[in-house]
Amino acid sequence: MSGHDSKYFSTTKKGEIPELKEELNSQYKDKRKDAVKKVIAAMTVGKDVSSLFTDVVNCMQTENLELKKLVYLYLINYAKSQPDLAILAVNTFVKDSQDPNPLIRALAVRTMGCIRVDKITEYLCDPLQKCLKDDDPYVRKTAAICVAKLFDINAELVEDRGFLEALKDLISDNNPMVVANAVAALAEIQENSTSPIFEINSTTLTKLLTALNECTEWGQVFILDALSRYKAADPREAENIVERVTPRLQHANCAVVLSAVKMILQQMELITSTDVIRNLCKKMAPPLVTLLSAEPEIQYVALRNINLIVQKRPTILAHEIKVFFCKYNDPIYVKMEKLEIMIKLASDRNIDQVLLEFKEYATEVDVDFVRKAVRAIGRCAIKLERAAERCISVLLELIKIKVNYVVQEAIIVIKDIFRRYPNTYESIIATLCESLDTLDEPEAKASMIWIIGEYAERIDNADELLESFLENFPEEPAQVQLQLLTATVKLFLKKPTEGPQQMIQVVLNNATVETDNPDLRDRAYIYWRLLSTDPEAAKDVVLAEKPVITDDSNQLDPSLLDELLANISTLSSVYHKPPEAFVTRLKTTVQKTEDEDYVEGSETGYPEASGNPVDGAASPPGTTGYVPKSAAAPAPVPDLLGDLMGSDNAAIVPVDEPTAPSGRPLPVVLPASKGQGLQISAQLTRQDGQVFYSMLLENNSQSLLDGFMIQFNKNSFGLAAVGPLQVPPLQPGASARTMLPMVLSQNMSAGPTSSVLQVAVKNNQQPVWYFEDKIVLHALFSEDGRMERGTFLETWRSLPDSNEVQKEFPGITIMSVESTLDLLAASNMFFIAKRKNGNQDVLYLSAKVPRGIPFLIELTAMVGQPGLKCAVKTPTPEIAPLFFEAVEILFKA
């Protein structure tokens, strides 16, 4: 590239940074304040304004609280990338922590806790110790939360300086909000620690229960959550605790109500008096019912929690089933949850009411809701033996309506009822057989075939009915094929006449010779050998008495249920998964060995420096380099805006860093021979719905390299970096891997579409390096690219033939259809349909690139033979060559 390419580093608006710099150094206060606001605005939209660090820090010396907050916000964002300059602000922090204004004292200590830089941590300790003993409760409660943040950065320091003891002392504070924040901080520290730190005893318990009545609603939530982990010494103590907490059930805040319910449920495990338990169940019902009059989103959270509660204590809401009846304007997600709870609360006493509701729901317009309602009737029949006949009557009435999807769902649940009550309700089979021709869904077909096979001896024309399904045996889904195979064998064993004999020959031949499904083929071979060697043994196996089923499809394992109940009013109770299933936490040990290093990932760009690998083993391609034990998980990212502007939410939500994709190594885009020892390997990739520029930087020179920056030239897809390139200083021989988040449609170039991505990288020690990379289109395919079959056909027909582009790949061999579909699905190319064209397989897929441009794809190949023909139809056929490049990369990987 020529020397003129330095334009990549020019700003989009000439003179913007110099203008801001001038305004920040203005002698007028208002002008400085406006300039800081402009800097914050630019920072918020992703512009790099780190070069103004010194000028913004100079604005800290002000009495204006609003300006001070803005400067502190800027500091939190850039202190990590400019740790040496951040030290300049320390004196102001220390000075502000002794300011006469308690708001400024609290702001200073809060901001110092949010700046995750080790050098600043040392200076935080003295002001924090003073603030923990401050006269003003606002400062003390802020300092309590700051201890939790400091523990997250340096647990050993918190232990050595006695902050944990100071926090425990705050539990005895006379201000209830200070007590609540101390509890929140200790609970947060306990969750991130392996050793016991916060244990409630009888003395602490009394103090917490006293503070509970006086603190704010969120303070009450923290205290109630802490109390729910306390195990009472005996039933009497458990009753006393519950008695003190019961008034919280009347609180207006939903979170307080659910936290109180959680605490009471935990203590009820220890209470032995049945009268007390009965009274508590009565007291908990009204507040839970009240939650269902809130907004739909809160209703949904409440319903997910109630779902767990009624599995453990169904008597709480046994008499309140009417409140779960669906309203016409309920969102579908609320209706579905209400249905689940109605099934759980259904009993012989209320089943008639429930069935009337379900029957009404089965005539609604929402197909998914109707299916769920029909299935709910079947589940009630399986659950309540006395009500089974009434449930079947309702199902038969629904079948007579002749609505296709209702009929099919009814047949599916009747099959389950037959399995629950064998030889009881077979008289309705004739009614079911009348709807045989309307079945087109795999599960409904499979259910009907099972019924015919299971009761073949009672159905006069069972062979004719099965034969009607056998006509399309090769085209049927695997689920239907397997059921047809078993049903035909049952028919043959029950009626070994000429008709079934011919059918069994045809089915076994199709299932062994004509199919590529291993499950179907294996089952057919087993049946064939059983029938040919010992028909009596075949009868014993195939016609054996089956165990009676129960409706436990939505029941949770008791141990999991107990764990979820201990996490009521958290995400865990909404997902119905334990916290460790979706949150990764770093457990901190206070004691650290001398040889343990700490490598902390950056919050933006996700770099990790790679030093010497553990035990001398080389890091495999695609790993994130050397991560010592103490850096085994990413550091939690604090809520910067919330913490700075005065929010007291102590919850720090850990997030998983994106990791570089494993597999083949990244292609080298700047070899060390051209980069004076700096080698860069990079490629666009997609992870969790976000485009990243995955990079590996290796320092093969003899000097340290730092201060890395990156710029992307205008390109056909407008790809640009979300933030600055975050790479730690690279010592000679070291390397670092980073995942740089990218944004689309911000840096668009004019002219024809091109796959070229021009990139420039610089550092403090070397000149600007320019290189070209390729935009791999499959990294841009979005997760919403799946089309319905009808939409696909309609779109294909609506596009002119001139928009179809074809290319053949003679060097690509497809070894199996399934693995090919998996490969393409991993890059958001979604399977639509498959057909045979002679001895070739033709696959149809859909994908979507940014700005909602669809790609309709047709792949033709013979399995195991070289050669792949690819046709793509899209509103923008000029992008097709990029798609063919992506196909080649994917199949040759």
Side-chain angles (χ1 to χ4, degrees):
M1 286 192 180
S2 66
H4 298 295
D5 288 326
S6 59
K7 64 186 179 185
Y8 296 161
F9 287 94
S10 63
T11 57
T12 53
K13 185 177 174 184
K14 279 196 171 181
E16 185 181 12
I17 297 295
E19 280 175 19
L20 286 171
K21 197 179 187 79
E22 189 179 327
E23 289 178 27
L24 287 167
N25 291 298
S26 169
Q27 58 183 329
Y28 302 109
K29 290 180 182 178
D30 289 343
K31 207 167 186 180
R32 287 203 301 272
K33 185 169 153 186
D34 288 342
V36 173
K37 285 183 178 179
K38 288 178 189 174
V39 170
I40 297 295
M43 180 182 84
T44 305
V45 296
K47 292 182 182 175
D48 181 14
V49 283
S50 57
S51 57
L52 297 170
F53 195 93
T54 311
D55 304 287
V56 175
V57 167
N58 288 337
C59 295
M60 283 177 72
Q61 306 289 346
T62 177
E63 296 299 317
N64 187 309
L65 188 59
E66 184 186 2
L67 178 57
K68 201 176 277 285
K69 282 184 177 182
L70 291 168
V71 174
Y72 280 1
L73 182 61
Y74 176 91
L75 275 170
I76 290 169
N77 199 44
Y78 283 115
K80 194 149 199 173
S81 59
Q82 309 265 10
D84 295 327
L85 290 175
I87 296 295
L88 300 174
V90 165
N91 285 335
T92 309
F93 282 136
V94 174
K95 183 182 170 189
D96 282 354
S97 70
Q98 298 166 0
D99 193 275
N101 186 340
L103 291 176
I104 291 177
R105 295 203 298 276
L107 183 64
V109 78
R110 178 186 290 127
T111 308
M112 287 178 82
C114 290
I115 296 175
R116 305 178 58 77
V117 176
D118 285 337
K119 292 179 181 177
I120 285 188
T121 305
E122 302 164 15
Y123 299 96
L124 171 62
C125 293
D126 291 335
L128 183 56
Q129 276 182 325
K130 289 178 184 174
C131 288
L132 283 167
K133 296 176 182 176
D134 198 279
D135 293 336
D136 194 285
Y138 180 76
V139 180
R140 293 200 300 278
K141 79 182 184 71
T142 305
I145 297 298
C146 193
V147 174
K149 295 179 184 298
L150 182 59
F151 184 88
D152 200 42
I153 301 166
N154 192 334
E156 194 174 8
L157 184 66
V158 170
E159 180 77 11
D160 293 344
R161 296 295 293 263
F163 286 125
L164 293 179
E165 294 307 316
L167 261 188
K168 290 172 186 173
D169 291 341
L170 287 182
I171 291 178
S172 306
D173 198 278
N174 55 10
N175 184 289
M177 268 316 299
V178 176
V179 176
N181 278 24
V183 169
L186 284 166
E188 183 71 29
I189 290 169
Q190 182 63 76
E191 284 183 24
N192 290 315
S193 173
T194 52
S195 55
I197 288 179
F198 180 38
E199 293 178 336
I200 299 175
N201 53 36
S202 55
T203 312
T204 316
L205 177 68
T206 308
K207 291 171 183 172
L208 293 182
L209 288 170
T210 305
L212 185 63
N213 298 321
E214 300 172 31
C215 58
T216 65
E217 50 197 15
W218 295 111
Q220 291 180 37
V221 170
F222 290 133
I223 293 174
L224 286 167
D225 285 348
L227 288 172
S228 68
R229 289 188 283 271
Y230 174 70
K231 294 282 185 268
D234 54 55
R236 182 67 194 151
E237 187 183 23
E239 287 178 33
N240 289 336
I241 294 170
V242 168
E243 192 178 338
R244 298 278 295 272
V245 170
T246 304
R248 300 302 105 209
L249 293 172
Q250 312 304 321
H251 203 284
N253 186 304
C254 306
V256 176
V257 173
L258 282 175
S259 293
V261 168
K262 170 171 67 177
M263 213 285 306
I264 292 170
L265 285 172
Q266 296 297 314
Q267 299 301 333
M268 279 171 74
E269 295 296 309
L270 297 164
I271 297 173
T272 52
S273 169
T274 52
D275 289 338
V276 173
I277 288 175
R278 193 184 307 112
N279 286 331
L280 286 173
C281 289
K282 282 182 184 176
K283 286 179 182 177
M284 279 193 280
L288 289 173
V289 168
T290 305
L291 293 178
L292 300 182
S293 58
E295 299 82 14
E297 294 80 9
I298 293 176
Q299 278 188 56
Y300 177 73
V301 173
L303 287 165
R304 293 292 283 177
N305 282 276
I306 288 168
N307 194 324
L308 297 173
I309 294 166
V310 296
Q311 287 184 54
K312 183 75 174 179
R313 303 262 180 194
T315 53
I316 293 177
L317 292 161
H319 301 288
E320 305 288 349
I321 195 164
K322 280 189 176 181
V323 301
F324 299 104
F325 287 177
C326 300
K327 298 173 186 169
Y328 75 96
N329 58 349
D330 279 341
I332 185 66
Y333 54 88
V334 170
K335 286 181 175 178
M336 294 295 199
E337 280 306 312
K338 283 184 173 180
L339 271 182
E340 276 300 325
I341 294 168
M342 285 166 71
I343 295 166
K344 289 183 172 65
L345 294 177
S347 64
D348 291 328
R349 193 180 62 257
N350 59 28
I351 188 64
D352 290 327
Q353 277 182 305
V354 172
L355 285 177
L356 276 173
E357 279 293 305
F358 287 166
K359 188 179 175 183
E360 186 72 28
Y361 303 157
T363 59
E364 293 265 353
V365 291
D366 190 300
V367 177
D368 288 336
F369 183 52
V370 170
R371 289 178 185 277
K372 185 100 172 177
V374 176
R375 207 160 278 214
I377 296 169
R379 285 173 59 190
C380 285
I382 292 167
K383 178 184 175 185
L384 306 168
E385 187 171 353
R386 289 188 203 165
E389 194 166 340
R390 279 172 281 173
C391 294
I392 286 176
S393 299
V394 173
L395 289 170
L396 290 176
E397 285 176 38
L398 293 174
I399 288 174
K400 287 172 187 172
I401 297 171
K402 298 289 184 187
V403 177
N404 192 15
Y405 53 85
V406 175
V407 171
Q408 302 200 74
E409 204 65 38
I411 288 172
I412 293 166
V413 298
I414 287 171
K415 179 260 294 180
D416 289 334
I417 293 171
F418 283 174
R419 292 182 63 194
R420 173 70 177 85
Y421 309 108
N423 305 314
T424 309
Y425 300 108
E426 286 70 34
S427 56
I428 66 168
I429 292 174
T431 310
L432 302 182
C433 291
E434 290 171 12
S435 307
L436 215 57
D437 297 336
T438 63
L439 304 183
D440 55 15
E441 292 174 14
E443 195 177 356
K445 281 185 180 180
S447 298
M448 192 67 223
I449 292 163
W450 182 88
I451 292 170
I452 296 168
E454 188 69 13
Y455 300 102
E457 74 279 10
R458 303 186 193 184
I459 304 172
D460 296 335
N461 60 338
D463 50 347
E464 292 173 21
L465 297 177
L466 282 181
E467 205 161 1
S468 64
F469 287 106
L470 289 175
E471 292 168 6
N472 300 313
F473 185 89
E475 286 77 41
E476 295 287 4
Q479 182 182 8
V480 178
Q481 289 179 331
L482 286 164
Q483 205 56 259
L484 265 173
L485 172 61
T486 304
T488 311
V489 173
K490 285 179 182 176
L491 175 65
F492 172 71
L493 290 170
K494 291 178 179 182
K495 294 182 178 179
T497 54
E498 189 179 342
Q501 280 184 359
Q502 290 176 347
M503 283 171 62
I504 197 75
Q505 286 296 332
V506 173
V507 172
L508 289 173
N509 186 59
N510 274 329
T512 53
V513 179
E514 304 293 331
T515 184
D516 56 358
N517 183 328
D519 292 337
L520 181 64
R521 194 168 53 238
D522 289 352
R523 189 184 289 191
Y525 277 129
I526 290 169
Y527 285 155
W528 202 325
R529 290 196 172 88
L530 270 172
L531 292 168
S532 58
T533 55
D534 190 349
E536 287 304 314
K539 277 188 180 180
D540 293 339
V541 171
V542 180
L543 304 179
E545 191 174 327
K546 296 162 189 66
V548 173
I549 64 165
T550 55
D551 178 39
D552 58 358
S553 55
N554 291 75
Q555 293 292 330
L556 295 169
D557 180 80
S559 58
L560 175 60
L561 179 61
D562 288 340
E563 186 176 356
L564 294 178
L565 286 169
N567 286 289
I568 278 181
S569 81
T570 67
L571 272 180
S572 181
S573 65
V574 177
Y575 290 158
H576 287 189
K577 292 180 181 177
E580 58 272 16
F582 58 92
V583 174
T584 308
R585 278 194 178 274
L586 173 63
K587 289 287 185 183
T588 310
T589 49
V590 172
Q591 294 77 22
K592 293 184 181 176
T593 55
E594 291 180 7
D595 60 344
E596 275 186 336
D597 295 318
Y598 186 77
V599 178
E600 186 176 45
S602 171
E603 288 169 18
T604 311
Y606 315 103
E608 288 180 358
S610 63
N612 300 320
V614 181
D615 299 331
S619 297
T623 62
T624 51
Y626 166 45
V627 185
K629 291 177 189 173
S630 55
V637 180
D639 175 0
L640 304 183
L641 275 170
D643 280 318
L644 188 65
M645 297 305 179
S647 166
D648 290 307
N649 184 1
I652 300 174
V653 182
V655 294
D656 292 327
E657 290 187 10
T659 53
S662 58
R664 55 202 178 89
L666 297 171
V668 176
V669 288
L670 178 71
S673 56
K674 289 188 179 179
Q676 295 180 8
L678 172 65
Q679 178 164 301
I680 300 176
S681 308
Q683 190 173 50
L684 283 169
T685 184
R686 189 178 192 91
Q687 227 173 296
D688 299 327
Q690 165 77 49
V691 179
F692 292 91
Y693 197 48
S694 180
M695 302 180 72
L696 174 66
L697 294 89
E698 300 172 74
N699 182 7
N700 298 313
S701 69
Q702 300 303 310
S703 58
L704 176 136
L705 301 178
D706 64 2
F708 285 91
M709 297 172 66
I710 191 167
Q711 187 81 19
F712 295 88
N713 197 10
K714 290 182 178 179
N715 54 80
S716 296
F717 292 92
L719 281 160
V722 171
L725 180 63
Q726 299 282 350
V727 177
L730 291 181
Q731 299 291 342
S735 64
R737 184 179 285 274
T738 184
M739 297 278 280
L740 181 66
M742 303 290 285
V743 68
L744 291 149
S745 307
Q746 277 206 2
N747 202 17
M748 302 291 292
S749 63
T753 304
S754 166
S755 64
V756 173
L757 182 65
Q758 295 178 324
V759 191
V761 171
K762 68 168 288 188
N763 57 65
N764 291 338
Q765 289 74 28
Q766 294 180 326
V768 179
W769 300 117
Y770 306 99
F771 57 85
E772 284 190 357
D773 197 0
K774 271 195 171 181
I775 297 173
V776 287
L777 196 65
H778 56 274
L780 309 185
F781 284 150
S782 59
E783 282 69 17
D784 62 346
R786 187 187 299 277
M787 282 187 181
E788 294 297 326
R789 192 175 295 194
T791 310
F792 182 92
L793 286 168
E794 192 179 320
T795 311
W796 186 282
R797 289 177 189 137
S798 67
L799 292 170
D801 291 342
S802 57
N803 282 38
E804 184 175 342
V805 188
Q806 298 185 356
K807 184 172 181 179
E808 294 196 6
F809 301 91
I812 293 177
T813 304
I814 287 181
M815 299 312 295
S816 107
V817 171
E818 286 76 13
S819 60
T820 302
L821 292 176
D822 290 343
L823 173 73
L824 298 172
S827 294
N828 292 332
M829 284 181 259
F830 300 101
F831 174 68
I832 303 293
K834 169 189 164 186
R835 67 180 176 88
K836 281 280 187 183
N837 182 17
N839 54 0
Q840 291 184 315
D841 285 296
V842 184
L843 306 177
Y844 294 94
L845 304 103
S846 68
K848 191 185 285 185
V849 291
R851 291 180 286 171
I853 300 169
F855 272 68
L856 312 184
I857 306 153
E858 181 186 77
L859 299 179
T860 308
M862 191 188 306
V863 175
Q865 297 296 319
L868 171 69
K869 181 182 176 184
C870 180
V872 63
K873 217 172 189 184
T874 175
T876 53
E878 63 272 13
I879 309 179
L882 275 69
F883 173 75
F884 295 137
E885 285 178 13
V887 169
E888 203 156 12
I889 290 168
L890 281 172
F891 279 100
K892 291 189 175 179

